[in-house]
Amino acid sequence: MANSYDSGRLDLPFVGISTFGKRPYQPDWNALEADVAILGAPFDAGTQWRAGARFGPRGVREASTLFSFGHAGAYDHEDDVTYLPASVRIVDMGDADIIHTDTEGSHANIEAGVRAALRAGALPVVIGGDHSVNIPCIRAFDDQGDIHILQIDAHLDFVDERHGVRHGHGNPMRRAAEQPYVTGLTQVGIRNVSSTAREGYADARAMGSDIISVRQARELGTQALLARIPVGARIYITLDIDAFCPSIAPGTGTPSHGGFLYYEVLELLQGVAQGDEIVGIDLVEVAPDYDPTGSTTVLAAQVLLNLLGFVFHARGAE
Amino acid sequence: MANSYDSGRLDLPFVGISTFGKRPYQPDWNALEADVAILGAPFDAGTQWRAGARFGPRGVREASTLFSFGHAGAYDHEDDVTYLPASVRIVDMGDADIIHTDTEGSHANIEAGVRAALRAGALPVVIGGDHSVNIPCIRAFDDQGDIHILQIDAHLDFVDERHGVRHGHGNPMRRAAEQPYVTGLTQVGIRNVSSTAREGYADARAMGSDIISVRQARELGTQALLARIPVGARIYITLDIDAFCPSIAPGTGTPSHGGFLYYEVLELLQGVAQGDEIVGIDLVEVAPDYDPTGSTTVLAAQVLLNLLGFVFHARGAE
Amino acid sequence: MANSYDSGRLDLPFVGISTFGKRPYQPDWNALEADVAILGAPFDAGTQWRAGARFGPRGVREASTLFSFGHAGAYDHEDDVTYLPASVRIVDMGDADIIHTDTEGSHANIEAGVRAALRAGALPVVIGGDHSVNIPCIRAFDDQGDIHILQIDAHLDFVDERHGVRHGHGNPMRRAAEQPYVTGLTQVGIRNVSSTAREGYADARAMGSDIISVRQARELGTQALLARIPVGARIYITLDIDAFCPSIAPGTGTPSHGGFLYYEVLELLQGVAQGDEIVGIDLVEVAPDYDPTGSTTVLAAQVLLNLLGFVFHARGAE
Amino acid sequence: MANSYDSGRLDLPFVGISTFGKRPYQPDWNALEADVAILGAPFDAGTQWRAGARFGPRGVREASTLFSFGHAGAYDHEDDVTYLPASVRIVDMGDADIIHTDTEGSHANIEAGVRAALRAGALPVVIGGDHSVNIPCIRAFDDQGDIHILQIDAHLDFVDERHGVRHGHGNPMRRAAEQPYVTGLTQVGIRNVSSTAREGYADARAMGSDIISVRQARELGTQALLARIPVGARIYITLDIDAFCPSIAPGTGTPSHGGFLYYEVLELLQGVAQGDEIVGIDLVEVAPDYDPTGSTTVLAAQVLLNLLGFVFHARGAE
Amino acid sequence: MANSYDSGRLDLPFVGISTFGKRPYQPDWNALEADVAILGAPFDAGTQWRAGARFGPRGVREASTLFSFGHAGAYDHEDDVTYLPASVRIVDMGDADIIHTDTEGSHANIEAGVRAALRAGALPVVIGGDHSVNIPCIRAFDDQGDIHILQIDAHLDFVDERHGVRHGHGNPMRRAAEQPYVTGLTQVGIRNVSSTAREGYADARAMGSDIISVRQARELGTQALLARIPVGARIYITLDIDAFCPSIAPGTGTPSHGGFLYYEVLELLQGVAQGDEIVGIDLVEVAPDYDPTGSTTVLAAQVLLNLLGFVFHARGAE
Amino acid sequence: MANSYDSGRLDLPFVGISTFGKRPYQPDWNALEADVAILGAPFDAGTQWRAGARFGPRGVREASTLFSFGHAGAYDHEDDVTYLPASVRIVDMGDADIIHTDTEGSHANIEAGVRAALRAGALPVVIGGDHSVNIPCIRAFDDQGDIHILQIDAHLDFVDERHGVRHGHGNPMRRAAEQPYVTGLTQVGIRNVSSTAREGYADARAMGSDIISVRQARELGTQALLARIPVGARIYITLDIDAFCPSIAPGTGTPSHGGFLYYEVLELLQGVAQGDEIVGIDLVEVAPDYDPTGSTTVLAAQVLLNLLGFVFHARGAE
């Protein structure tokens, strides 16, 4: 296990091409050899307030290089663990092809990317893009067995249809709940007014959702919150960056005050990674153009890298 | 009770003219028919550090449209209440006329607007402008009976006079305390160095103020804090956005670290709305030009809309 | 002819609701009584680089208030003319309804707005939105007689179809040229690499286009440039803000260096307004979130207000 | 004549306290010993659109340090001259005291500062603040003999009175023209709609003004433009930064497109410095908070330092 | 004890030259007469991600003027104490001379400044610059007796050597620990991945470090945390602004989520000032160009001024 | 010759990994097969005002994707040429390894990269980084035969030594002129005060420089300007982005007003590419953090891509 700076280059974080974590780029999706496959999904035509999540994949990739000091793994002194040792193969697939003015075409390309990752046996990690990109992600799991969805988000995103719109960023959890292989949803962080009206909440509960606000989650504490999620399940995590407080995640389309702080989400993710099998991840709604200090992209990268560390530590990576 | 999107237009948040909450605009102040009258007071010549609160009314109005999804009311799943049903008539009066270089003339125009709202039987809600705009607001209540003032702010604003200045943004609470119909003040969130010196605190207490810092408020908890405010009183709420932590409210003239987070203020406001009669509101010191991410204007709009929801829910709106 | 500040209010530019030029807002499109009808078209899903033009209408409206000092008309000392006297009735229609993820639905709503303006006998002025909003604008002229299009733009926007896309912001001039009532196009400012490839230029010329770059326009001079436009024609002007140099118009989706400076476009517009009949206008691709100093929105407002002044001065307004 | 870096410190531009040009600070105005006295006038309550010029003095001072490389004078290879040799004593007086909400009090303090500079035999150079600070500057010249005013500005600033306002930033040139010792004004750069209406232009001409737009100035050329200014006169220069194009001077309250580029103003100033006696200077309306790139403050510092170089070169400094 | 506004000038925060706290500037380091000596150390070539800390000293100085209202001391109503009475002499030394491309030369100049402050019997307070400036600060204490270092920081900064680098911003705590007069380190706030790898943590502990994360510090509480620091020791405090949460301190080179909030650090500092002797302070890594709202520089100034207040209150200042 | 969008992917500009022009990335410098080799040189410790050019390579790479529409070459309608056909092989080498605090080590790594490109027979194109990175670039040509340097820049950069500094961003042209294989320099755009003093200009001329200011270049016109450059020479072009006007290139360390506009530089480059052999290129001082609108990085990418087009068109690429 060698640090890269021991062999030739110091490779400071600000140096080099911005793939995710400076990991290898593999544009040939039929040749993926990876434990984790990163896919950008730069689609933002599903937004109802600010767009800009199309630059999310590039922004998160660049921020992820801040955590690349050339070490062979990421040492955490609190856990006394070195996460993500060199044995965990992370590969950057690049982006799904997006076709402007064409929601269905763009979604289909995202779906194809997730299917390619699954086919290669890799954990698909999709960086949005707005939350509508979750729709094709979930579709791609139709031959993977049952999954439970853990959504961390400010908004319920459970609108069925309005003015003909069924695939915008207010619809994905409804679309997911309709899938026979989605056995349930845990929706955490939900708060304030959104595009989902009262009836959407009733529908969600009727279709198997457990809805928990930020204040409810805080009152429960991490352990009791984890107890609300099925143990040992195959979990798909969809993380909307606006689940976080705008103080640390301003760079998003529809910010909502009263969100989670860093460790609240991190500890939830660590707990889920320890107790369940994580089968897919998307992180959406990062809009770098509303993030003048870089706080949001750094947060997204930091959370993703930690989550991947937790997942593979639970899988016994060394 | 119909959702607006059921009849013709989807009216996404980013669509349309920016009146407060996309509510009707009524420039003829003699023709107001409203439960709530929104008045902009874009005056900022009273500031001692950064100006820019003159754009506060426009900024808060635009941000308020983010919460306009065309629903007939704002459903809150935590309270299981739909706030602000269509029966609550909110009208935007536009702005008071401001005369540059003329503090007294500008203040007089603000006072006239508040008097017009009161005359129409509406709850006046003034969006500043700097905190000096509270001075004419309080003046307009001289024929309304006794009021108690709840100030939520980082600064005491209790300077009597210095270099002849009596109507700047460091003076309003002193001016208010001098009014015979102001029976007391509760000043919450006060912290750090400000333009009020030691003697100002002594004067405030002598004139009936109860001064509570952020840390003291936290130690008390919401219920004990509410117990410090007269029950059943007629309350005028003046909310300086710098009461909040700069992490969520950077867009203000004189930011002060260590401020309140979102739910701390929200729960205080909800409690007061339940236990007292709210007779007037101003929200001041929002300076959009120092708010590159929009966090501050969104916060201001979110707090105001929630507060109005609490007030009219307490009044039995359906 | 009275200045508004002579009767009651000073109404400084920063005061008041942001309709275009602080002119009356008329949401009932069947009740339009106007010489000019301003319509916002906040659609930006047709973009190939940065989105954000959905906030163009609001941004241009707010910037337009800078030019509202309460005078009865806009005096220009160089021309010794007071443009836009009170007799010219400008009305703000608000925005066309936009449906996220639905390009055709959104375009149809824009088309309906332009048709309403034409039906009322008003000059339609559409503020985009991305350049794809020109497509429904031109469609709305199908019963208005022949028109010639003057496009001022960095990009030719003459892509026929690619990956199925026919109504993105790279397609509008091709779509326009296909209309039987479009007798020709003058395309000014075209420069640098864009989404239109070599064959697009050939197609454009074959379909009646006259293509002129910035450098070619400068070499011609305003008079010779005007001579390239049919005299006495019914002209529809489509102005993409990226025709201007990024130095003054950075707030746009696809900036292109080497663009026009202010007076170059202004003098062209003044000449056309004098020599032709202007029957419709759109100004597109203003994206305020990329305009930190406000330069672009101020430019857009300034150009539009001047152009309207030229048009009605030519029509003999007093 | 020694370079400062030859004796101990390199003193790179980014190092050290930000007085103007890193020159000595003398807060005791009775002890001034200087050829040039820099006075900040951070007053901006006279503005009609964006405020923020109160931070102009600090912004220009900090930008001025960019031109401080420790050389003994500023070598210009085009002129082959070393301007501002060590013999020219420039002193920073600090700022005039500003009293919020009190225009007259603030103006009086500015006037006192300019009188102190004149009493010390120094050339007063006032950095605004908004253009209303010119009013007390001109007042301070009431015992100095006749002066001619060269105004370089986008706006005429010739409003007499409106709603009682006589000392805002739209009034200074009218106030100046009223002084018996002001023998005339040359107003260069004037363009577009402003707070001065048609009658203001007529009044200005009647009171001795020569009004020249940017386009007229360009058509004349520098030499013919200089010929419009009295030769050998005692000239007071008032430079509003919005005379420049917003492309290089966005950081100002009321930007106006179509302004001057750098060398157009520089060559005018050089010509005036050679042909006339410069007796006072103010540079106003720099608002750093609207200047995200620093372009405007750098421009202001660069123009001021060059102008001072031209003045003292004409006076024979070595 | 007089307030400055009682004698002539109001001196609002935005008025005047930006020395630290508007205190006197003394460039002659042999003539220092002060209790506190402020030294800027604008060096940032030691950074591994974003530079820009070279503008830290200027940024913190300007922000510090926000807390200058002309009062004779800073009254804190929570403690009922007036901190920093006029008797505490704070002097601004200006900046150490920085030589670009020369780390050792720049560090030597910083060391010379700290030695000058110590020679004058003043408490040296160094404003960075990146954290490498701590290296010469600690060197300057080689003749001052034993010291214990309290580091408040996100990063351990304990890299020994890599690619020859020993004096970058990842090395200072290792360099400090090597000094015989450094008896131990308490490192608080350490979290997440950084340039220090696993072995660095082991080395630190072996060399006398006590490493405490943010979560560990929170679990301990202030009193138990204070108990981890030697009582009555001579303490040197090095405060890296990235110890704070990016929500309030985004303006720094290497932000790290999960940091401290305001009162957590303030109460730690107050406790240390009460129980120990503070012999030196540096505050580093403030990069104003990444701080668009000014939150970070205000935080730095607010913390420094409070810390100085605590120190001299403990010393009995009146 | 096929467009990429004809075979599978539309690949809009905002989609995909940001290598230069979305060209292949080749980190193995021994395996370069290219006509053009792009090398990032993210070193900025040589700066005397703002740093930040370390992010120049990433910024220019990302901006370069705006010009990637999937066409097989870049069609220019003014020249009626399709530049950069698929036959021109452009490869991105990634970045030279940078060692913080170590100027010489970093420079050596840059030199190694340029030597690798030259060894592979590719045209080296280095993206800085500050202008000091030109020093190792020129060193790498020591075995390539005589070269003439065309510098386009605001600053002469001809300081020999000061306080021991010989390899900062004020020194490169002096270092170049000292090389025996550098037969002369043409320095275009030089203006205003800089770190080079009077004697530096004399030295430059003595060592073979031809110094031309912006105004002198304009007066000459492109043809006469080209006549000042040796015909048929082997030219190394070093382009400091601050040669351009800050209106289009604010994102740089030491902006200087009065710079070149877009076509002035483009036409000079086109002329040189036609009349001379271009053997090396560097483009330096792009600092994206000071470029809030993206204007500067877009300019840099646009100029580089055009220049490469001109070079290979002159070489007969088809």
Side-chain angles (χ1 to χ4, degrees), chain B residues 45 47 56 62 68-69 96 191 221 250 260 284 295 315:
Chain B
T47 48
E62 204 205 343
S68 172
F69 282 90
R191 62 191 185 274
F260 285 122
V284 298
S295 170
R315 292 188 187 179

Side-chain angles (χ1 to χ4, degrees), chain A residues 17-31:
Chain A
I17 299 291
S18 295
T19 56
F20 185 79
K22 296 194 188 170
R23 300 302 176 110
Y25 169 46
Q26 179 48 281
D28 179 355
W29 297 352
N30 293 316

Side-chain angles (χ1 to χ4, degrees), chain C residues 191-261:
Chain C
R191 61 191 187 273
N192 298 318
V193 174
S194 78
S195 63
T196 307
R198 182 176 219 148
E199 52 268 38
Y201 287 84
D203 291 352
R205 290 199 178 88
M207 293 172 81
S209 276
D210 185 15
I211 302 172
I212 303 164
S213 76
V214 169
R215 287 186 289 186
Q216 290 161 346
R218 282 180 184 150
E219 201 168 305
L220 287 169
T222 304
Q223 290 314 311
L225 179 58
L226 285 165
R228 297 275 283 262
I229 301 168
V231 179
R234 300 179 69 248
I235 303 278
Y236 182 98
I237 298 173
T238 182
L239 174 53
D240 187 322
I241 202 76
D242 67 22
F244 288 98
C245 180
S247 66
I248 50 175
T252 191
T254 47
S256 178
H257 283 284
F260 284 122
L261 298 180

Side-chain angles (χ1 to χ4, degrees), chain A residues 47 49 54 99 165 289-290, chain C residues 46-47 49 54 99 165 289-290:
Chain A
T47 48
W49 179 244
R54 65 180 61 184
I99 306 167
V165 178
D289 289 318
Y290 298 100
Chain C
T47 48
W49 180 242
R54 64 180 63 185
I99 305 167
V165 179
D289 289 317
Y290 299 101

